[in-house]
Amino acid sequence: MSFLRRRFGGKTPTPTSTPNSPEPSAEPSREATPDDKANEITVVPKPKLQKLKASRQSKRRTLWIFGLGGLFGIAVAAFFAQSNDMIDLSSLENMNMASLLEVLPAGLVRDAQQLQKHERDAVNYDSFAVGMHARSQGIQATHPVIMIPGVISTGLESWGTEQESLQYFRKRLWGSWTMMRALVLDKAGWKRHIMLDTETGLDPPGVKLRAAQGFDAADFFITGYWIWNKILENLATIGYDPTNAFTAAYDWRMTYLNYEIRDQYFTRLKSHIELAVRVSNKKAVLLSHSMGSQVLYYFLHWVEAKGYGDGGPHWVDTYIDSWINISGCMLGAVKSVPAVLSGEMKDTAQLNAFAVYGLEKFLSRHERAEIFRAMPGISSMLPIGGDAVWGNETWAPDDQPGQDTSFGNFIRFRDVNSTHQFKNLTVSDSLPYIFNHSQQWYIDMIKSSYSYGVAHTKKEVEANQLIHQKWLNPLETRLPLAPNLKIYCFYGIGKETERAYYYREDSDPMSKTNVTIETGFSNGKTDHGVVLGEGDGTVNLLSAGYMCTKGWKMKRYNPAGVQIKTFEMPHEPDRFSPRGGPNTGDHVDILGRSSLNDLILRVAGGRGELIEENIQSNILRYAENVQIFDKE
């Protein structure tokens, strides 16, 4: 996955922002962490900080290569151990970092520990700084805050007590080193726990996997890799704690209706919001990231619907002040198509030959596709809007001048010598194509849970308000009748993102998939069979920005006139920082971006009205080209 890769990218040039839309509070990103032994803030000069980082860059890379090489060596040993009696994997079961340190040379361990300290100093130099700056401007905790994480953010832990599950009791099988160890030592057991039952879409018999709860559910993915932690640091600095801030984690593998059926997720979320508002006497601010924005949009319909949340048509206006939509994939993410079609995406297509061999031996394309399909929540992110949004054989709204082939040719086949007759597919064609190469249980699960079309009239939209399969789709349903609600769309731009793919027939006799990405083809904006477009590295610009800048400006999708503000954040990574630094626009790393944290604190502190729109991409032009029209 790209979020586990090291990022050393150059600074991406971006258009100059307009005078009326400056990015807020750029200064705090360079403030130092307060010294625990002093009452004053020590400022680290930028030249000195960069010199410190630059002097360690080569050494840091070497250590990472050494560490990753060691882990990869262990994995390779596991691959071949299946047919080699000389390797005893049982000895690895109790292996931990302490035992590894015991066998390494003392000098190497000492250097690694010192390097780790320097790394922490470089990465954490801006910890709490945004919050301290906001506090100095008089911003303090005002609205209760509820955070809804994205698809990778929430850890999943085992609560099963059957014999096979006892070794994993209360251990995370997603989002921890336990997951990594289970993949190496007990792949079949891990797959059995992580894949849902194909008939019910719930836990398989004897398995009980649940979303971790509290701030620990989403602050770090694995030890040292933060997700929401920087936002939590800054919220705490202006007065937030577990009494007025909550994390609403969910089991993202399931279909949305099953969140409620198995875990009563939406009922609990409704109760959390109502209690928080009652205690604070202030409406709530909801933060969502990535797939969490789709979950929240679904909730806004569920909570008011009769027979579901039963909140009535005024519940949202009564209880919710603002929705902060961070990198929301409101119209899906095109990378979900190859994931469920062939178990691939850019992250695997760009691996070198040796890494691909190891990955295929460990977790084949067919196995990866099988796992993704047995997590039907992933399919909620299949692209929404069809050809009207994503283009046809000859046209797409985000085509670039001089582009040879339209993005509308979404899945392309070049192999004219194939024994099968392949036709290029648009986004609208791709879903039937997936269904034609899937088991019936998957087809039934997806068709009964989601809808990916477009409603072109107010009558259609209002009718869809009563159909739970439509609640995910903002092009088939409307925003709540909440004239006082405010929506803030914050997302990154300027990072190359998957937009289309070159495929070929899968000629591997051991493979069970029909097609695979043509990784041997690179040309211009095509890298190893993956055609790159605009976005934040994961979510396409059309998905993140269309509803915010155009769709929700149409009366049929926003009849109450909910206020929408869009703030785009160019990807300007610090090449010395493994996570991109304070100005990254990356889909996940943006959660640590200084200006994003500043904006969040303004809204939570009741100062959201001071935020002005900041649109620097081509989204307004693309939105005008989308073939969805206001027919009121």
Side-chain angles (χ1 to χ4, degrees), residues 93 153 182 192 263 294 362 480 545 574 624:
E93 291 182 356
S153 305
R192 183 171 178 269
D263 299 339
Q294 290 183 301
F362 181 51
D574 182 342
E624 289 301 320

Side-chain angles (χ1 to χ4, degrees), residues 454-586:
V454 178
H456 291 283
T457 66
K458 179 181 178 181
K459 183 178 180 181
E460 289 179 82
V461 168
E462 292 301 324
N464 289 339
Q465 295 296 112
L466 307 175
I467 305 172
H468 75 83
Q469 291 92 339
K470 308 286 187 179
W471 292 344
L472 165 76
N473 187 343
L475 293 176
E476 292 187 303
T477 55
R478 57 165 170 77
L479 289 172
L481 300 176
N484 298 301
L485 174 67
K486 298 173 284 292
I487 298 177
Y488 300 90
C489 298
F490 302 147
Y491 56 86
I493 59 172
K495 187 173 184 182
E496 290 184 332
T497 306
E498 298 167 55
R499 182 61 177 86
Y501 304 88
Y502 282 94
Y503 264 78
R504 61 173 175 80
E505 182 180 10
D506 193 347
S507 57
D508 185 348
M510 303 302 292
S511 177
K512 296 181 181 179
T513 58
N514 296 307
V515 293
T516 181
I517 292 178
E518 190 174 357
T519 57
F521 179 64
S522 295
N523 180 27
K525 286 289 186 179
T526 302
D527 186 0
H528 292 78
V530 179
V531 184
L532 301 173
E534 295 186 57
D536 65 5
T538 297
V539 174
N540 310 92
L541 178 60
L542 278 171
S543 180
Y546 175 75
M547 293 308 301
C548 302
T549 59
K550 178 69 183 295
W552 285 329
K553 307 294 184 180
M554 297 184 189
K555 193 168 181 62
R556 71 171 178 271
Y557 296 133
N558 185 7
V562 173
Q563 180 184 345
I564 319 288
K565 286 187 179 180
T566 301
F567 199 103
E568 295 182 335
M569 303 180 189
H571 182 53
E572 299 174 333
D574 182 342
R575 64 191 182 94
F576 295 114
S577 172
R579 299 293 300 275
N583 295 310
T584 179
D586 176 81

Side-chain angles (χ1 to χ4, degrees), residues 206-253:
V207 171
K208 192 174 185 180
L209 212 62
R210 295 292 182 269
Q213 296 300 312
F215 297 138
D216 288 345
D219 55 352
F220 290 88
F221 180 71
I222 55 177
T223 304
Y225 190 91
W226 51 261
I227 302 291
W228 284 79
N229 191 61
K230 289 189 178 291
I231 291 177
L232 293 174
E233 288 176 347
N234 289 306
L235 285 172
T237 307
I238 66 168
Y240 283 96
D241 58 45
T243 65
N244 55 1
F246 311 91
T247 300
Y250 54 94
D251 187 342
W252 42 266
R253 300 172 302 154

Side-chain angles (χ1 to χ4, degrees), residues 11-283:
K11 187 166 181 174
T12 304
T14 56
T16 304
S17 59
T18 61
N20 294 327
S21 57
E23 191 160 308
S25 302
E27 295 179 3
S29 66
R30 295 300 178 185
E31 292 181 12
T33 303
D35 191 333
D36 292 336
K37 298 179 181 179
N39 294 323
E40 60 183 19
I41 297 175
T42 303
V43 178
V44 180
K46 180 177 177 181
K48 182 178 179 181
L49 180 64
Q50 292 188 340
K51 182 178 179 181
L52 175 69
K53 290 189 243 180
S55 67
R56 295 193 304 272
Q57 183 183 9
S58 176
K59 191 174 182 182
R60 207 163 49 230
R61 282 177 173 169
T62 302
L63 185 67
W64 270 91
I65 292 170
F66 173 85
L68 291 176
L71 291 174
F72 187 75
I74 294 171
V76 170
F79 302 154
F80 293 104
Q82 299 174 7
S83 58
N84 189 342
D85 294 335
M86 295 180 64
I87 302 176
D88 181 12
L89 283 182
S90 63
S91 63
L92 297 176
E93 291 182 356
N94 297 319
M95 183 177 64
N96 53 34
M97 186 57 70
S99 60
L100 281 175
L101 294 178
E102 290 175 1
V103 300
L104 293 175
L108 178 62
V109 173
R110 186 169 54 252
D111 287 346
Q113 290 173 336
Q114 185 66 20
L115 188 60
Q116 185 182 43
K117 180 181 182 301
H118 289 323
E119 180 76 11
R120 283 198 305 267
D121 293 342
V123 173
N124 295 332
Y125 66 88
D126 64 342
S127 294
F128 304 99
V130 175
M132 290 188 294
H133 179 77
R135 190 172 63 189
S136 71
Q137 293 183 322
I139 295 177
Q140 58 185 353
T142 301
H143 299 279
V145 169
I146 290 89
M147 291 162 279
I148 303 175
V151 65
I152 71 159
S153 305
T154 301
L156 303 176
E157 58 188 25
S158 176
W159 282 82
T161 55
E162 298 293 329
Q163 188 61 40
E164 186 181 355
S165 299
L166 286 177
Q167 62 178 317
Y168 299 123
F169 183 72
R170 292 205 63 203
K171 294 181 179 178
R172 293 192 186 182
L173 291 178
W174 179 267
S176 72
W177 290 111
T178 300
M179 173 183 74
M180 305 298 186
R181 191 176 70 172
L183 272 168
V184 172
L185 300 176
D186 184 22
K187 184 176 76 170
W190 179 81
K191 284 178 62 180
R192 183 171 178 269
H193 280 78
I194 206 74
M195 295 169 64
L196 296 170
D197 185 272
T198 57
E199 295 296 325
T200 65
L202 304 173
D203 295 310
V207 171
K208 192 174 185 180
L209 212 62
R210 295 292 182 269
Q213 296 300 312
F215 297 138
D216 288 345
D219 55 352
F220 290 88
F221 180 71
I222 55 177
T223 304
Y225 190 91
W226 51 261
I227 302 291
W228 284 79
N229 191 61
K230 289 189 178 291
I231 291 177
L232 293 174
E233 288 176 347
N234 289 306
L235 285 172
T237 307
I238 66 168
Y240 283 96
D241 58 45
T243 65
N244 55 1
F246 311 91
T247 300
Y250 54 94
D251 187 342
W252 42 266
R253 300 172 302 154
M254 299 189 295
T255 60
Y256 293 5
L257 193 60
N258 277 344
Y259 293 177
E260 179 65 18
I261 292 173
R262 195 194 72 178
D263 299 339
Q264 301 80 52
Y265 173 77
F266 294 120
T267 295
R268 296 174 190 273
L269 178 56
K270 178 174 182 263
S271 298
H272 267 308
I273 294 171
E274 290 176 343
L275 178 61
V277 172
R278 190 176 306 120
V279 170
S280 66
N281 200 30
K282 293 283 187 180
K283 293 183 183 181

Side-chain angles (χ1 to χ4, degrees), residues 384 446-447 449-453 469-470 472-473 476:
I384 290 172
I446 301 309
K447 286 186 174 181
S449 301
Y450 310 123
S451 179
Y452 307 97
Q469 291 92 339
K470 308 286 187 179
L472 165 76
N473 187 343
E476 292 187 303

